[in-house]
Amino acid sequence: MALSNLLEIPAAGFNFDNATRNAALEGLFEGQKPKPMKTGTTIAGVVFKDGVILAADTRATSGEVVADKMCDKIHYIAPNIYCCGAGTAADTGKTTDLVASNLAIFSLNSGRNPRVIMAVNILQDMLYRYRGQIGANLILGGVDCTGNHLYTVGPYGSVNTMPYLSMGSGDLAALGILEDGFKPNMELEEAKQLVRVAIHAGIMSDLGSGHNIDICVITRQGVDHNRPYQESEYKDNRKVNYRYRPGTTTILTEKVVPLKLELVQETVQQMETA
Amino acid sequence: MEKRCLDSGVKGVSTGTTILAAIFDGGVVIGSDSRASIGGEYVSSKTINKVIQVHDQIFCCMAGSLADAQAVTKAAKFHLSLHSIQMETPPLVISAASVLKDLCYKNKEELQAGFITAGWDTKKGPQVYVVSLGGMLHSQPVTIGGSGSTYIYGYVDAKYKPKMSREECLQFATNALALAMGRDNVSGGVAHLVVITETGVEHVVVPGNKLPKFHDE
């Protein structure tokens, strides 16, 4: 039995697969197509003795510019399930919102608390259906009646489960730290320290990750979402408020043009209040 | 993550892999390696599970795109479960293989996944079926698949004998996987083996450092 997807030698020369698509897009935006905001990111998760810890950096980039310095990448899915998202910021946010709504309705209908595996299955089905067009690389973590769980879902719909995971552009930097430092059944402080160092490695070594570190600790007792857990030591002192009071700019001339409106048709609908 | 990529034909995570199944006297052994890679350049998981249980005594091994293979096996599990409830009897191994074949054949343009199905049923005993990329279904006493299989065709042809004992067959499968993992860069990790007989199912996991070593190692 020979599968045709054996080792393929990459074709020589340039790859023009996206040329027609780009040409069409260029036409729409007159050459200045907006760059999507990506969370070039470092996210990580670790299972410890009493639950799961999720951690993320807080930088969102749009091309080469940092679009958001305090981006929240740890999304709420259910009271006991949270999800870190890497990839296209809009996709991760919207997808996790959809799953959160689905699970809330399910909880109300069935009277049961949602399970992590259910969120994973819904995400997998949805991302698979969209064949990779939704750029969401997610790490889901949560505690339910079956135990402490950590899963990753890729943009094409592949699922993997491990006691420690990292995703995003800084994943290899973080993975090195996790591979070295992970032990099964760690205590809370040990585990917090491990993910903190892992995200820090991503922030230092990856240009797409930076700023603060957020963490979210999920246990049977509840959720502790720390935003920020660790602040970046590189802070600027600019005022962020750029509001100007009315009258700051002098009005030189004023011209009022009344709009002439003509009544064309009048319909009256009586409201029944009986 | 976009930097690492798409030189291989498979989009996303691929199970560039070695999978095999072999019938012995009284049962069947099905096994795989545990490596998943992206673009053949980066190992995204060292311990991925490629041997999926689709019913009590029927397992299947996946090769190709991980997302496609997981989606197909999920659908297959559902169909088989429904089928067995309607028939009020455990499904036959050929039914499981047919469900996979149908999915692979009808969606051959979009899918990049191949499977080996192995199991035990009351009608024909131990069986092995292979469903290839385009949806061909074929029954064989021993079969290998995935990118690593090319390195062990000779070994399998020379060493497989019908009606081996359970231990002999397990050793044969472990050796075959070890040889393939030793030569194929996208196969590796641990060897997952499952032994299916009339009485039940047994999982055997051989960690990488306990795999048999050959003369050049």
Side-chain angles (χ1 to χ4, degrees):
Chain A
M1 164 186 146
L3 285 178
S4 50
N5 61 335
L6 301 182
L7 298 171
E8 305 229 45
I9 303 155
F14 294 104
N15 182 339
F16 292 109
D17 284 349
N18 279 332
T20 37
R21 181 206 71 171
N22 290 347
L25 274 178
E26 213 106 321
L28 283 175
F29 286 104
E30 280 113 27
Q32 264 136 25
K33 44 183 207 302
K35 292 232 178 72
M37 181 158 96
K38 296 186 136 283
T39 60
T41 258
T42 309
I43 51 175
V46 143
V47 175
F48 70 105
K49 192 173 83 167
D50 304 319
V52 175
I53 302 188
L54 296 172
D57 73 303
T58 59
R59 173 180 289 180
T61 52
S62 177
E64 303 306 318
V65 177
V66 173
D68 191 349
K69 292 183 280 201
M70 265 299 265
C71 174
D72 186 5
K73 302 183 191 180
I74 306 184
H75 308 277
Y76 168 89
I77 303 258
N80 56 329
I81 308 173
Y82 276 72
C83 175
C84 291
T88 310
D91 288 344
T92 57
K94 225 24 184 192
T95 312
T96 46
D97 274 352
L98 251 142
V99 174
S101 312
N102 271 344
L103 285 184
I105 293 178
F106 162 78
S107 279
L108 290 167
N109 281 340
S110 66
R112 286 181 181 225
N113 280 333
R115 297 189 188 185
V116 186
I117 190 67
M118 188 173 174
V120 171
N121 278 323
I122 296 175
L123 279 166
Q124 176 176 42
D125 287 344
M126 180 183 158
L127 291 174
Y128 182 72
R129 227 177 340 125
Y130 282 92
R131 306 168 63 82
Q133 300 297 320
I134 297 186
N137 300 37
L138 307 165
I139 295 185
L140 273 118
V143 176
D144 59 31
C145 57
T146 53
N148 310 329
H149 299 287
L150 189 66
Y151 288 91
T152 175
V153 186
Y156 289 91
S158 57
V159 168
N160 193 12
T161 177
M162 280 275 280
Y164 57 90
L165 287 167
S166 69
M167 294 290 262
S169 53
D171 63 348
L172 290 180
L175 200 56
I177 303 291
L178 290 171
E179 290 266 12
D180 189 43
F182 177 80
K183 293 188 303 288
N185 289 322
M186 282 186 289
E187 296 294 334
L188 174 63
E189 286 313 314
E190 247 189 299
K192 267 183 170 174
Q193 175 70 358
L194 180 65
V195 281
R196 195 184 63 76
V197 178
I199 301 291
H200 189 71
I203 288 175
M204 287 295 137
S205 314
D206 176 43
L207 294 179
S209 309
H211 257 271
N212 305 335
I213 301 179
D214 292 345
I215 73 160
C216 184
V217 181
I218 310 170
T219 55
R220 288 206 83 90
Q221 282 71 44
V223 172
D224 182 21
H225 189 167
N226 261 336
R227 253 203 119 216
Y229 177 64
Q230 179 184 284
E231 292 206 298
S232 154
E233 54 252 32
Y234 304 101
K235 293 183 87 62
D236 61 68
N237 291 317
R238 280 177 292 169
K239 288 204 274 273
V240 284
N241 202 352
Y242 289 99
R243 293 189 175 282
Y244 296 96
R245 50 165 189 78
T248 312
T249 310
T250 344
I251 298 173
L252 297 175
T253 50
E254 198 178 304
K255 181 179 174 187
V256 177
V257 177
L259 271 177
K260 287 203 194 57
L261 293 175
E262 192 188 305
L263 181 60
V264 176
Q265 187 187 27
E266 188 178 330
T267 46
V268 175
Q269 182 166 25
Q270 297 218 326
M271 186 163 77
E272 304 281 353
T273 53
Chain B
M1 285 191 69
E2 299 75 48
K3 322 175 225 133
R4 268 171 249 129
C5 242
L6 306 171
D7 283 336
S8 87
V10 175
K11 294 240 164 88
V13 181
S14 137
T15 65
T17 195
T18 310
I19 51 179
L20 56 72
I23 298 180
F24 64 90
D25 186 18
V28 60
V29 168
I30 181 168
S32 79
D33 71 307
S34 69
R35 179 172 290 183
S37 60
I38 299 191
E41 295 173 355
Y42 156 63
V43 175
S44 64
S45 174
K46 298 180 277 193
T47 54
I48 201 102
N49 180 25
K50 302 184 203 183
V51 186
I52 309 287
Q53 181 164 26
V54 289
H55 208 262
D56 295 349
Q57 287 181 297
I58 308 176
F59 280 72
C60 75
C61 270
M62 47 164 100
S65 153
L66 186 61
D68 287 346
Q70 285 181 338
V72 171
T73 45
K74 269 175 117 178
K77 256 181 165 167
F78 161 73
H79 282 300
L80 270 181
S81 173
L82 181 60
H83 172 67
S84 92
I85 289 174
Q86 287 176 332
M87 301 284 277
E88 296 195 6
T89 177
L92 300 176
V93 188
I94 181 127
S95 308
S98 294
V99 167
L100 288 166
K101 175 221 57 178
D102 239 26
L103 289 164
C104 290
Y105 181 72
K106 297 224 162 83
N107 299 298
K108 60 163 76 171
E109 314 300 329
E110 285 92 28
L111 288 176
Q112 267 188 315
F115 302 89
I116 293 181
T117 312
W120 191 94
D121 64 43
T122 47
K123 189 168 167 192
K124 280 172 132 185
Q127 296 145 76
V128 169
Y129 292 90
V130 56
V131 177
S132 70
L133 217 60
M136 173 188 82
L137 174 62
H138 188 45
S139 168
Q140 288 180 313
V142 62
T143 188
I144 51 179
S147 55
S149 64
T150 49
Y151 305 100
I152 50 173
Y153 273 107
Y155 177 78
V156 168
D157 287 344
K159 288 294 182 179
Y160 177 75
K161 297 183 309 288
K163 300 222 170 298
M164 281 190 281
S165 74
R166 181 186 173 282
E167 280 62 40
E168 277 180 313
C169 193
L170 256 179
Q171 189 60 46
F172 160 76
T174 315
N175 286 348
L177 282 173
L179 284 166
M181 295 189 332
R183 285 292 179 182
D184 183 25
N185 68 324
V186 283
S187 300
V190 308
H192 281 297
L193 294 152
V194 176
V195 184
I196 311 165
T197 56
E198 178 174 2
T199 44
V201 160
E202 191 203 327
H203 292 263
V204 177
V205 174
V206 186
N209 56 348
K210 300 268 181 4
L211 283 171
K213 289 197 183 330
F214 298 92
H215 76 95
D216 58 342
E217 294 170 80

